């Protein structure tokens, strides 16, 4: 799932070259497991609600962690507690 703030936002990964990512590639989320599955051949964007304290349901196949892909190519496992931290997740999906 590609994470972006809204369809109108310039935060989508395809809108800026990697060289312009001020947060650092290792700190910028490109993809995250969503709770609701989609057909792998029909990928869908995961849109964050406008309410700053809310996130869409996140988490993957396993209850203990979810995989998060960062712009530097690394994949990290996030605990359920980390997945509920709306402020931190929003900070990591921002490209500016």
């Amino acid at each position: 799932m590609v994470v972006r703030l809204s369809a109108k936002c310039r935060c989508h990964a395809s809108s800026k070259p990697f060289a312009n990512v001020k947060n650092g590639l290792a700190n910028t989320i490109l993809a995250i497991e969503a709770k609701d599955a989609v057909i792998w051949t029909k990928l869908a964007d995961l849109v964050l609600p406008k309410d700053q304290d809310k996130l869409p349901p996140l988490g993957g196949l396993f209850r203990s962690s979810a995989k998060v892909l960062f712009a530097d190519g690394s994949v990290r496992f996030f605990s359920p507690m980390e997945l509920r931290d709306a402020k931190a997740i929003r900070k990591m999906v921002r490209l500016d």
Side-chain angles (χ1 to χ4, degrees):
M1 298 279 172
V2 175
V3 180
R4 63 181 176 176
L5 294 177
S6 74
K8 297 184 271 182
C9 186
R10 292 180 12 184
C11 301
H12 194 274
S14 64
S15 66
K16 285 188 176 186
F18 283 145
N20 293 346
V21 177
K22 295 178 181 159
N23 224 10
L25 297 179
N27 300 318
T28 303
I29 293 175
L30 287 185
I32 191 168
E33 282 187 288
K35 192 74 108 183
D36 300 326
V38 297
I39 298 171
W40 70 271
T41 57
K42 297 181 180 181
L43 299 179
D45 287 340
L46 183 65
V47 180
L48 296 177
K50 291 183 181 185
D51 183 348
Q52 296 294 312
D53 294 329
K54 294 192 182 219
L55 290 172
L58 301 174
L61 184 60
F62 304 103
R63 291 182 189 186
S64 62
S65 65
K67 292 178 280 307
V68 180
L69 171 66
F70 286 82
D72 67 348
S74 66
V75 176
R76 298 182 213 155
F77 292 89
F78 275 33
S79 70
M81 184 186 300
E82 290 172 303
L83 293 172
R84 287 190 297 267
D85 188 348
K87 186 175 181 179
I89 296 286
R90 285 179 178 277
K91 194 178 202 180
M92 288 185 273
V93 300
R94 297 289 305 198
L95 294 180
D96 50 1

